[in-house]
Amino acid sequence: MEELMEMVATYMGSATKDEYEEIAKTIRHDLVFSEYGQEIENYIRYIPNTADICRTCGEGFPSQVYLVCTNTGELYDLDLFEKGANPDAGEYGYMSMSFGYDEVSQTSLHITKTPENKEGTVTVQRGRGIVSVQRMKSLFCDDCIREMLETVENQLVEEFVIFDAEGQKFYAVDDGSVQIGDYELQVEYDEGDYEIEVRYAK
Ligand SMILES: [Zn+2]
């Protein structure tokens, strides 16, 4: 695979447009992000985008914070309260648990929300850590793909990104904290898995 990608990178530098299409076709079935290193722009340009609607574009998302699976386009809602609710006045929903799985990377998610305590936890159990650019091309627009790939570049977790739906910004799942809207996310690494603590911090 690595040899093939080197070959492709070399071709990309000198090929005509028709040749690019031929090369892209050959490798498209198993094009994997972590294999292509510095060539983000080439793959964005030469693999056709077939997404009718981009999952992370536009306005009017019902929640502020999501975890986005780059392989499936699934958006996992991390908000603890409905938009406009007033948690300080006791307006919160019920405790909830949900589960997610990405068969490409074999990563699974467990999301537990305890609105009463104004907190939630996401456990990210990682598998092969693979990102398929071909799949992304059928789920997101090229601008979002570029931003997502640049965000996860050189990060351990590439198959999920944290998404600020109002600010249209992406953040890597990496050690540290980030404030998005009314929520503070604290990411911790623990023996191969990641844990994201979500706290209401308005
Ligand atoms: Zn987009």
Side-chain angles (χ1 to χ4, degrees):
M1 189 64 193
E2 201 174 312
E3 241 178 67
L4 172 68
M5 296 312 293
E6 269 174 29
M7 200 173 77
V8 169
T10 312
Y11 277 140
M12 288 284 189
S14 59
T16 65
K17 199 161 179 292
D18 283 354
E19 285 170 328
Y20 274 124
E21 253 150 42
E22 205 42 52
I23 295 162
K25 213 183 290 169
T26 315
I27 58 170
R28 202 172 298 154
H29 67 285
D30 57 0
L31 191 56
V32 165
F33 171 59
S34 40
E35 300 283 342
Y36 70 77
Q38 301 302 309
E39 306 295 325
I40 293 176
E41 201 53 42
N42 274 345
Y43 291 92
I44 283 172
R45 283 168 68 188
Y46 297 113
I47 297 174
N49 192 302
T50 57
D52 292 331
I53 302 164
C54 173
R55 309 280 181 109
T56 48
C57 269
E59 293 169 0
F61 284 91
S63 297
Q64 298 179 357
V65 189
Y66 293 93
L67 199 57
V68 179
C69 180
T70 52
N71 286 319
T72 64
E74 195 79 42
L75 270 66
Y76 296 93
D77 170 12
L78 300 189
D79 283 16
L80 303 173
F81 305 104
E82 298 214 354
K83 258 188 193 170
N86 183 358
D88 294 321
E91 288 174 19
Y92 32 72
Y94 301 102
M95 186 185 167
S96 69
M97 287 172 79
S98 49
F99 178 75
Y101 183 68
D102 165 29
E103 60 176 19
V104 176
S105 65
Q106 296 175 344
T107 296
S108 60
L109 291 182
H110 292 267
I111 304 171
T112 309
K113 296 181 187 177
T114 320
E116 212 177 312
N117 299 339
K118 298 182 179 175
E119 62 182 26
T121 305
V122 186
T123 309
V124 182
Q125 284 179 308
R126 307 197 61 231
R128 297 181 295 168
I130 284 173
V131 170
S132 162
V133 180
Q134 182 202 353
R135 278 173 180 250
M136 289 185 84
K137 283 279 187 170
S138 67
L139 299 165
F140 307 101
C141 72
D142 284 349
D143 287 343
C144 287
I145 293 173
R146 184 182 295 107
E147 278 180 46
M148 281 188 241
L149 292 184
E150 284 174 359
T151 301
V152 300
E153 202 179 7
N154 302 320
Q155 302 289 341
L156 200 52
V157 181
E158 295 171 335
E159 64 274 30
F160 282 93
V161 284
I162 295 164
F163 176 48
D164 170 358
E166 278 171 17
Q168 295 273 308
K169 266 184 162 171
F170 300 100
Y171 298 90
V173 177
D174 193 22
D175 281 338
S177 66
V178 56
Q179 171 92 31
I180 299 173
D182 300 337
Y183 299 97
E184 188 186 287
L185 277 66
Q186 178 79 39
V187 184
E188 265 163 40
Y189 179 74
D190 181 29
E191 292 178 17
D193 299 330
Y194 279 84
E195 203 162 274
I196 307 170
E197 294 287 340
V198 183
R199 275 195 193 85
Y200 182 74
K202 198 176 177 179

